[in-house]
Amino acid sequence: MAGSGGPLSRRGLRGREAELAELRTLVASVARSGSGALALLRGEAGIGKSTLLAEAVDLAENQGYSTGIGRADELHHLVPLSSLAGCLLDGARPLLSGDAFADLARRHDQRIRLVERLAGRIETRAAETPVLIALDDVQWADPLSRFALRQLPGRLRSSPVLWLLTGRTGPTVAGEEILAAARNRLPVVRLHLGPLSAGAIDRLADDTLGEDVDERTRTLLDGTGGNPFLAVELLRGLRTEGRTPGADAGTGTHTSTGTGTDAGTSTAPGTDTRTTAELPEATSPSVPTGLVSGVRGRIGSLGPDTLTLLRMGAVLGRRFAFLDAAALCERPPATLITALDEALRAGLLDEDGALLSFRHDLLRQAVYADIPTSARNALHRAAAHRLVASGHRPIDAASHVLRGAEPGDEEAVGLLRRAAEDVLPVTPGLAADLMTRALELVRPSDAARFDVGEQAIVCLIRAGRDRAALTTCDGLLAAQPPLAVFGRLQATLGGALWSLDLADELCRRAEAALAVGGIPPEVEARLSALRALALSRGRDLGVARAVGEEALAAAVVTGDRPAHVQALSALGEIALNAGDGATALARFTALSVVDGAFRPEEAVAHQHMDRFDSAEESLRRAQPEAGSHRQAMLLWAQAQQHLGRGRLDDAEAHFETMEDLEDAVRTPVQQVNSRVIRAWIALLRGNRAGAGEQLVAARERLAVKPNPGNRAVVCFLEALLAGHDGDARSGVEALRRLQEIGPFMRWRLLRTWVGTAVRTALTAGDRELVEDLVAQTAAHAERNPEVPTATGTAALVAGLAAGDVGLLERSVSLLAAGPRPLVLAAARTDLGRALLAAGRTAEAVPVLAAARDAFAAAGAEAAAADVRRLLDGAGSGPGADAESLSGAGAGRTGAGRDRPAQGWEALTASERKVARLIAGGHTNRSAAEALVVSPHTVNTHLTSVFRKLTVRSRVQLAHVVLARGDAE
């Protein structure tokens, strides 16, 4: 019966007809629709995932796809981007050349930038032909590949790219985090491969043996649980031992089993662990005795040199170099050619390009299990030494070090430290794991323990594991290090304490370290700068400023760059918190000279001074290729620029993009502030429900970072929503809670919204709060006499409090000299309302009309509608002549007209630009270059475009644009 059944027999796909049909449909759908999809094949080891994956690749290639297939490896799961390498370099038309991949890998210190480069390559190829990217054994994917896979499917959802992953089942299903990231962004398919039916196993047995099997063999097959790989290996083992009719031991006949190259399991099927394990012993109840006997019997029939070669290969991993295995055998390669040929003929190894590969990881585990336990650690240490000596990077050998190192192994500690240093910029979590292990390997009495511990703290902080960094540091301090080391450790820990919002603890530790003395001058400067930063959260900013000045002077004297950067940053923060815009600008300008990565902070300081043109120049000069945290700060500054200019659509797109980026790299710095602003934007547009959703999101993020500033802005948002809902009393209560945290004008985000707070307090009749807010705003204006927003806002709230039309007129005059159209529109609304109340309708109408038009131009539909209602009411009032009323509407196009939720008219101006560029054939990157924005922002706009136009692909978008005649 061998060979019957056509292609299914040839590929060993017995019993997988339904799954294959679903994959066939998915491949056709992506090609037809021009939009992306993601599929995950799940199942225990040996169940047939890899063969089904290979069949899907063949189907895709037959339909004109450009394909790339990669395989993750247990012993290479630490090497950055190693898992995706095959996907990018494999195939008739690789997505990347070897040189391009090497260049990409060299730039892996910027995770987001790397993802964008990958996305650009794939997007360009997908514009020519559909693309299939397949990754086998995703459970072993390296951290950087997993990061990329969480980002890329959603990022490329509008292109015909099919992502196909396989992963084993277990308590934590491999690949689920990738599917979760893609959910609601593109079609996601899960295929669970269960055991084959008894009939399918019988047919598979016929395929393998070439004849009917006897009842004894069928009984053994029942014990495989429907796992095709285990069934075939059992049959092969029995045949090798001559235990089935017609067996031909040693023929090396290779028949496809329906399992292909499934890998990534270290233990019996259905379990989930990342530690190396052996196949169960014969007495294990989880695997039948006959199966273990068959697999091991087959291996035992090999020659001794072949078995030795296989054992050394098993130590090196699923894929290994022949020369490396020969070196571990301590044999010249030429003497092992015969052994290699026997392993290949036996179907245990396959040639995989320049490497060798075990046909299945269960085979590797069976070989590994036969290595005496006492020898394994030594072999792994020898493997690590061999890899490094032959020119591999330290990270390539790290897996072996982690398995083979023992306490006191200085060579292992040194290698782990070098590996951690290499991967820290791109996978800080991995670096933290490596250094944690390195620290465990250092004996307590070893003098190097503190240096290793300091590096571990740095890695833990970069990985966002601030609590672990604190625990590690305190463990080192408990060992009573020398004073110089004591100070250095406290300085290193400072970033974690700041991130944990433990400003008081940071101040205490810095002061304690400075008090003991014996610390090098440069470390003293760093500690002083950290103390100043901690004091910036306190109420006495004068003391903070003095400490910062001392730290800056010390940094200059010592020439210590980290201290210089920290001191200038602290002084800038202190000045902003004090409301001293000019000093803050001077500090951040100086900081950007020392380190150009801080130009976004310089831009924000310009914005506080109403110097938006200068801010634009700083943003232009900002370094877009800085690390991910710097990119998020750049997006924040750009969003603030758009917000200040009254470009609400662009502002919100940048805020949303920044949130996504911070989520991706797990650095939630501006999440709460962003949500508060987006809630305000939602209210301006009349979306009360959306504002409420932003409040919920802000509270969730506040729980992660409950610092005073975040608590204050959430209180303001609660007050804003209460006032909007007509509950002024609750609004005032929220404002009172805010003031308990710190004065209203202390919080830089809220300064342009103080008018809203005053209106709420006036409505509730809380004169005491009104007067306090007026006094704070006046003091802020005195500190910033050259800033129109500061002086104009002071006049505004004073006018509101006193009901003084003259002061309101002055506020409008001052704000008109500034760059913030929405702040001016709000002041004009207050003035117009006051003029109407005074019976001065003719004067009120043009003022209100200007406010209405400004709101409408910004996309603040609800605010424009509110002003329009005031104008409508003014139409019958005294003093409103026909000329003034007709002029109120002059020059406006659709002012106050609500934007629809769906269709072309629902698109913002920026979204239309993006839609036209993409429809015209631009990639996200080229569109970003044309619009002078980031690819992240283009992606955010494109997501909104697809949602509003109800399209799924670039092809469908092009049809919509072309049908309108709007394509460029």
PDB file of all heavy atoms in Angstrom, residues 59-86:
ATOM      1  N   LEU A  59       1.928  25.248  -1.145  1.00  0.00           N
ATOM      2  CA  LEU A  59       0.691  25.810  -1.691  1.00  0.00           C
ATOM      3  C   LEU A  59       0.878  27.282  -2.045  1.00  0.00           C
ATOM      4  O   LEU A  59       0.442  27.749  -3.099  1.00  0.00           O
ATOM      5  CB  LEU A  59      -0.448  25.661  -0.680  1.00  0.00           C
ATOM      6  CG  LEU A  59      -0.998  24.258  -0.451  1.00  0.00           C
ATOM      7  CD1 LEU A  59      -1.950  24.260   0.753  1.00  0.00           C
ATOM      8  CD2 LEU A  59      -1.723  23.762  -1.688  1.00  0.00           C
ATOM      9  N   ALA A  60       1.516  28.019  -1.153  1.00  0.00           N
ATOM     10  CA  ALA A  60       1.718  29.445  -1.378  1.00  0.00           C
ATOM     11  C   ALA A  60       2.630  29.687  -2.575  1.00  0.00           C
ATOM     12  O   ALA A  60       2.372  30.573  -3.408  1.00  0.00           O
ATOM     13  CB  ALA A  60       2.299  30.095  -0.122  1.00  0.00           C
ATOM     14  N   GLU A  61       3.702  28.921  -2.665  1.00  0.00           N
ATOM     15  CA  GLU A  61       4.621  29.103  -3.791  1.00  0.00           C
ATOM     16  C   GLU A  61       3.928  28.804  -5.108  1.00  0.00           C
ATOM     17  O   GLU A  61       4.163  29.479  -6.119  1.00  0.00           O
ATOM     18  CB  GLU A  61       5.841  28.208  -3.610  1.00  0.00           C
ATOM     19  CG  GLU A  61       6.766  28.689  -2.488  1.00  0.00           C
ATOM     20  CD  GLU A  61       7.941  27.766  -2.254  1.00  0.00           C
ATOM     21  OE1 GLU A  61       7.902  26.610  -2.759  1.00  0.00           O
ATOM     22  OE2 GLU A  61       8.890  28.180  -1.559  1.00  0.00           O
ATOM     23  N   ASN A  62       3.036  27.822  -5.104  1.00  0.00           N
ATOM     24  CA  ASN A  62       2.299  27.501  -6.322  1.00  0.00           C
ATOM     25  C   ASN A  62       1.337  28.617  -6.723  1.00  0.00           C
ATOM     26  O   ASN A  62       0.913  28.691  -7.884  1.00  0.00           O
ATOM     27  CB  ASN A  62       1.527  26.194  -6.146  1.00  0.00           C
ATOM     28  CG  ASN A  62       2.451  24.988  -6.095  1.00  0.00           C
ATOM     29  OD1 ASN A  62       3.570  25.031  -6.617  1.00  0.00           O
ATOM     30  ND2 ASN A  62       1.999  23.911  -5.458  1.00  0.00           N
ATOM     31  N   GLN A  63       0.973  29.469  -5.766  1.00  0.00           N
ATOM     32  CA  GLN A  63       0.086  30.593  -6.063  1.00  0.00           C
ATOM     33  C   GLN A  63       0.861  31.895  -6.243  1.00  0.00           C
ATOM     34  O   GLN A  63       0.274  32.976  -6.222  1.00  0.00           O
ATOM     35  CB  GLN A  63      -0.957  30.745  -4.960  1.00  0.00           C
ATOM     36  CG  GLN A  63      -1.926  29.576  -4.884  1.00  0.00           C
ATOM     37  CD  GLN A  63      -3.122  29.862  -4.001  1.00  0.00           C
ATOM     38  OE1 GLN A  63      -3.573  31.011  -3.892  1.00  0.00           O
ATOM     39  NE2 GLN A  63      -3.656  28.835  -3.364  1.00  0.00           N
ATOM     40  N   GLY A  64       2.162  31.797  -6.382  1.00  0.00           N
ATOM     41  CA  GLY A  64       2.966  32.978  -6.684  1.00  0.00           C
ATOM     42  C   GLY A  64       3.480  33.732  -5.486  1.00  0.00           C
ATOM     43  O   GLY A  64       4.002  34.844  -5.628  1.00  0.00           O
ATOM     44  N   TYR A  65       3.375  33.168  -4.308  1.00  0.00           N
ATOM     45  CA  TYR A  65       3.879  33.835  -3.109  1.00  0.00           C
ATOM     46  C   TYR A  65       5.402  33.878  -3.104  1.00  0.00           C
ATOM     47  O   TYR A  65       6.071  32.969  -3.613  1.00  0.00           O
ATOM     48  CB  TYR A  65       3.443  33.080  -1.861  1.00  0.00           C
ATOM     49  CG  TYR A  65       2.085  33.433  -1.294  1.00  0.00           C
ATOM     50  CD1 TYR A  65       0.925  33.053  -1.933  1.00  0.00           C
ATOM     51  CD2 TYR A  65       1.983  34.113  -0.082  1.00  0.00           C
ATOM     52  CE1 TYR A  65      -0.319  33.338  -1.407  1.00  0.00           C
ATOM     53  CE2 TYR A  65       0.750  34.405   0.466  1.00  0.00           C
ATOM     54  CZ  TYR A  65      -0.401  34.024  -0.192  1.00  0.00           C
ATOM     55  OH  TYR A  65      -1.619  34.306   0.352  1.00  0.00           O
ATOM     56  N   SER A  66       5.933  34.921  -2.482  1.00  0.00           N
ATOM     57  CA  SER A  66       7.331  34.942  -2.077  1.00  0.00           C
ATOM     58  C   SER A  66       7.356  34.382  -0.656  1.00  0.00           C
ATOM     59  O   SER A  66       6.641  34.864   0.223  1.00  0.00           O
ATOM     60  CB  SER A  66       7.876  36.368  -2.087  1.00  0.00           C
ATOM     61  OG  SER A  66       9.183  36.411  -1.550  1.00  0.00           O
ATOM     62  N   THR A  67       8.147  33.341  -0.426  1.00  0.00           N
ATOM     63  CA  THR A  67       8.080  32.650   0.859  1.00  0.00           C
ATOM     64  C   THR A  67       9.422  32.676   1.572  1.00  0.00           C
ATOM     65  O   THR A  67      10.483  32.706   0.947  1.00  0.00           O
ATOM     66  CB  THR A  67       7.652  31.185   0.672  1.00  0.00           C
ATOM     67  OG1 THR A  67       8.629  30.497  -0.114  1.00  0.00           O
ATOM     68  CG2 THR A  67       6.291  31.088  -0.008  1.00  0.00           C
ATOM     69  N   GLY A  68       9.337  32.650   2.875  1.00  0.00           N
ATOM     70  CA  GLY A  68      10.510  32.515   3.726  1.00  0.00           C
ATOM     71  C   GLY A  68      10.133  31.660   4.912  1.00  0.00           C
ATOM     72  O   GLY A  68       9.110  31.911   5.557  1.00  0.00           O
ATOM     73  N   ILE A  69      10.917  30.633   5.196  1.00  0.00           N
ATOM     74  CA  ILE A  69      10.600  29.729   6.293  1.00  0.00           C
ATOM     75  C   ILE A  69      11.791  29.639   7.235  1.00  0.00           C
ATOM     76  O   ILE A  69      12.931  29.508   6.793  1.00  0.00           O
ATOM     77  CB  ILE A  69      10.190  28.332   5.772  1.00  0.00           C
ATOM     78  CG1 ILE A  69       9.823  27.407   6.936  1.00  0.00           C
ATOM     79  CG2 ILE A  69      11.274  27.715   4.907  1.00  0.00           C
ATOM     80  CD1 ILE A  69       9.153  26.120   6.493  1.00  0.00           C
ATOM     81  N   GLY A  70      11.526  29.778   8.508  1.00  0.00           N
ATOM     82  CA  GLY A  70      12.573  29.700   9.516  1.00  0.00           C
ATOM     83  C   GLY A  70      12.187  28.715  10.599  1.00  0.00           C
ATOM     84  O   GLY A  70      11.039  28.278  10.694  1.00  0.00           O
ATOM     85  N   ARG A  71      13.160  28.377  11.422  1.00  0.00           N
ATOM     86  CA  ARG A  71      12.929  27.423  12.494  1.00  0.00           C
ATOM     87  C   ARG A  71      13.672  27.892  13.735  1.00  0.00           C
ATOM     88  O   ARG A  71      14.866  28.182  13.683  1.00  0.00           O
ATOM     89  CB  ARG A  71      13.423  26.033  12.090  1.00  0.00           C
ATOM     90  CG  ARG A  71      13.225  24.950  13.133  1.00  0.00           C
ATOM     91  CD  ARG A  71      13.934  23.678  12.715  1.00  0.00           C
ATOM     92  NE  ARG A  71      13.523  23.266  11.385  1.00  0.00           N
ATOM     93  CZ  ARG A  71      14.285  22.561  10.567  1.00  0.00           C
ATOM     94  NH1 ARG A  71      15.514  22.234  10.921  1.00  0.00           N
ATOM     95  NH2 ARG A  71      13.839  22.206   9.382  1.00  0.00           N
ATOM     96  N   ALA A  72      12.963  28.010  14.826  1.00  0.00           N
ATOM     97  CA  ALA A  72      13.600  28.372  16.097  1.00  0.00           C
ATOM     98  C   ALA A  72      14.246  27.135  16.704  1.00  0.00           C
ATOM     99  O   ALA A  72      13.807  26.008  16.459  1.00  0.00           O
ATOM    100  CB  ALA A  72      12.577  28.974  17.051  1.00  0.00           C
ATOM    101  N   ASP A  73      15.276  27.365  17.495  1.00  0.00           N
ATOM    102  CA  ASP A  73      16.073  26.266  18.036  1.00  0.00           C
ATOM    103  C   ASP A  73      16.245  26.471  19.530  1.00  0.00           C
ATOM    104  O   ASP A  73      16.577  27.570  19.984  1.00  0.00           O
ATOM    105  CB  ASP A  73      17.434  26.239  17.330  1.00  0.00           C
ATOM    106  CG  ASP A  73      18.254  25.002  17.660  1.00  0.00           C
ATOM    107  OD1 ASP A  73      18.164  24.521  18.802  1.00  0.00           O
ATOM    108  OD2 ASP A  73      18.984  24.531  16.776  1.00  0.00           O
ATOM    109  N   GLU A  74      16.060  25.396  20.273  1.00  0.00           N
ATOM    110  CA  GLU A  74      16.147  25.479  21.734  1.00  0.00           C
ATOM    111  C   GLU A  74      17.477  26.044  22.198  1.00  0.00           C
ATOM    112  O   GLU A  74      17.524  26.887  23.092  1.00  0.00           O
ATOM    113  CB  GLU A  74      15.930  24.091  22.328  1.00  0.00           C
ATOM    114  CG  GLU A  74      16.067  24.043  23.848  1.00  0.00           C
ATOM    115  CD  GLU A  74      15.983  22.632  24.388  1.00  0.00           C
ATOM    116  OE1 GLU A  74      15.805  21.696  23.572  1.00  0.00           O
ATOM    117  OE2 GLU A  74      16.103  22.467  25.603  1.00  0.00           O
ATOM    118  N   LEU A  75      18.574  25.602  21.606  1.00  0.00           N
ATOM    119  CA  LEU A  75      19.884  26.020  22.079  1.00  0.00           C
ATOM    120  C   LEU A  75      20.384  27.285  21.393  1.00  0.00           C
ATOM    121  O   LEU A  75      21.523  27.692  21.589  1.00  0.00           O
ATOM    122  CB  LEU A  75      20.896  24.893  21.899  1.00  0.00           C
ATOM    123  CG  LEU A  75      20.762  23.770  22.946  1.00  0.00           C
ATOM    124  CD1 LEU A  75      21.717  22.642  22.645  1.00  0.00           C
ATOM    125  CD2 LEU A  75      21.019  24.315  24.350  1.00  0.00           C
ATOM    126  N   HIS A  76      19.538  27.882  20.572  1.00  0.00           N
ATOM    127  CA  HIS A  76      19.891  29.163  19.971  1.00  0.00           C
ATOM    128  C   HIS A  76      18.824  30.210  20.255  1.00  0.00           C
ATOM    129  O   HIS A  76      18.770  31.239  19.590  1.00  0.00           O
ATOM    130  CB  HIS A  76      20.089  29.021  18.451  1.00  0.00           C
ATOM    131  CG  HIS A  76      21.225  28.135  18.072  1.00  0.00           C
ATOM    132  ND1 HIS A  76      21.059  26.802  17.802  1.00  0.00           N
ATOM    133  CD2 HIS A  76      22.557  28.382  17.953  1.00  0.00           C
ATOM    134  CE1 HIS A  76      22.236  26.258  17.520  1.00  0.00           C
ATOM    135  NE2 HIS A  76      23.159  27.190  17.605  1.00  0.00           N
ATOM    136  N   HIS A  77      17.991  29.955  21.256  1.00  0.00           N
ATOM    137  CA  HIS A  77      16.854  30.847  21.481  1.00  0.00           C
ATOM    138  C   HIS A  77      17.252  32.128  22.201  1.00  0.00           C
ATOM    139  O   HIS A  77      16.383  32.942  22.517  1.00  0.00           O
ATOM    140  CB  HIS A  77      15.749  30.123  22.254  1.00  0.00           C
ATOM    141  CG  HIS A  77      16.049  29.908  23.706  1.00  0.00           C
ATOM    142  ND1 HIS A  77      16.845  28.882  24.161  1.00  0.00           N
ATOM    143  CD2 HIS A  77      15.663  30.598  24.801  1.00  0.00           C
ATOM    144  CE1 HIS A  77      16.918  28.947  25.472  1.00  0.00           C
ATOM    145  NE2 HIS A  77      16.221  29.979  25.889  1.00  0.00           N
ATOM    146  N   LEU A  78      18.534  32.323  22.455  1.00  0.00           N
ATOM    147  CA  LEU A  78      18.988  33.571  23.050  1.00  0.00           C
ATOM    148  C   LEU A  78      19.541  34.543  22.016  1.00  0.00           C
ATOM    149  O   LEU A  78      19.604  35.743  22.270  1.00  0.00           O
ATOM    150  CB  LEU A  78      20.077  33.294  24.098  1.00  0.00           C
ATOM    151  CG  LEU A  78      19.699  32.378  25.255  1.00  0.00           C
ATOM    152  CD1 LEU A  78      20.882  32.242  26.215  1.00  0.00           C
ATOM    153  CD2 LEU A  78      18.478  32.907  26.006  1.00  0.00           C
ATOM    154  N   VAL A  79      19.952  34.057  20.861  1.00  0.00           N
ATOM    155  CA  VAL A  79      20.649  34.884  19.873  1.00  0.00           C
ATOM    156  C   VAL A  79      19.664  35.832  19.194  1.00  0.00           C
ATOM    157  O   VAL A  79      18.696  35.381  18.566  1.00  0.00           O
ATOM    158  CB  VAL A  79      21.339  34.004  18.826  1.00  0.00           C
ATOM    159  CG1 VAL A  79      22.107  34.870  17.840  1.00  0.00           C
ATOM    160  CG2 VAL A  79      22.263  32.995  19.511  1.00  0.00           C
ATOM    161  N   PRO A  80      19.862  37.150  19.303  1.00  0.00           N
ATOM    162  CA  PRO A  80      18.901  38.103  18.740  1.00  0.00           C
ATOM    163  C   PRO A  80      18.661  37.912  17.252  1.00  0.00           C
ATOM    164  O   PRO A  80      19.594  37.828  16.459  1.00  0.00           O
ATOM    165  CB  PRO A  80      19.563  39.467  19.026  1.00  0.00           C
ATOM    166  CG  PRO A  80      20.417  39.226  20.221  1.00  0.00           C
ATOM    167  CD  PRO A  80      20.935  37.833  20.039  1.00  0.00           C
ATOM    168  N   LEU A  81      17.403  37.789  16.895  1.00  0.00           N
ATOM    169  CA  LEU A  81      16.910  37.693  15.525  1.00  0.00           C
ATOM    170  C   LEU A  81      17.278  36.376  14.836  1.00  0.00           C
ATOM    171  O   LEU A  81      17.042  36.217  13.642  1.00  0.00           O
ATOM    172  CB  LEU A  81      17.401  38.878  14.671  1.00  0.00           C
ATOM    173  CG  LEU A  81      16.409  39.406  13.623  1.00  0.00           C
ATOM    174  CD1 LEU A  81      15.114  39.857  14.264  1.00  0.00           C
ATOM    175  CD2 LEU A  81      17.017  40.523  12.812  1.00  0.00           C
ATOM    176  N   SER A  82      17.836  35.424  15.586  1.00  0.00           N
ATOM    177  CA  SER A  82      18.231  34.160  14.965  1.00  0.00           C
ATOM    178  C   SER A  82      17.025  33.391  14.448  1.00  0.00           C
ATOM    179  O   SER A  82      17.115  32.712  13.416  1.00  0.00           O
ATOM    180  CB  SER A  82      19.004  33.297  15.966  1.00  0.00           C
ATOM    181  OG  SER A  82      18.208  33.002  17.113  1.00  0.00           O
ATOM    182  N   SER A  83      15.895  33.485  15.129  1.00  0.00           N
ATOM    183  CA  SER A  83      14.728  32.701  14.726  1.00  0.00           C
ATOM    184  C   SER A  83      14.147  33.203  13.410  1.00  0.00           C
ATOM    185  O   SER A  83      13.734  32.416  12.553  1.00  0.00           O
ATOM    186  CB  SER A  83      13.659  32.754  15.821  1.00  0.00           C
ATOM    187  OG  SER A  83      14.186  32.324  17.058  1.00  0.00           O
ATOM    188  N   LEU A  84      14.109  34.512  13.236  1.00  0.00           N
ATOM    189  CA  LEU A  84      13.558  35.082  12.012  1.00  0.00           C
ATOM    190  C   LEU A  84      14.553  35.065  10.853  1.00  0.00           C
ATOM    191  O   LEU A  84      14.175  35.355   9.720  1.00  0.00           O
ATOM    192  CB  LEU A  84      13.101  36.522  12.248  1.00  0.00           C
ATOM    193  CG  LEU A  84      11.698  36.717  12.826  1.00  0.00           C
ATOM    194  CD1 LEU A  84      11.400  38.196  13.035  1.00  0.00           C
ATOM    195  CD2 LEU A  84      10.640  36.097  11.918  1.00  0.00           C
ATOM    196  N   ALA A  85      15.804  34.738  11.151  1.00  0.00           N
ATOM    197  CA  ALA A  85      16.826  34.798  10.109  1.00  0.00           C
ATOM    198  C   ALA A  85      16.448  33.942   8.910  1.00  0.00           C
ATOM    199  O   ALA A  85      16.546  34.372   7.754  1.00  0.00           O
ATOM    200  CB  ALA A  85      18.179  34.365  10.672  1.00  0.00           C
ATOM    201  N   GLY A  86      16.005  32.693   9.183  1.00  0.00           N
ATOM    202  CA  GLY A  86      15.628  31.827   8.078  1.00  0.00           C
ATOM    203  C   GLY A  86      14.474  32.380   7.269  1.00  0.00           C
ATOM    204  O   GLY A  86      14.444  32.263   6.039  1.00  0.00           O
TER     205      GLY A  86
END
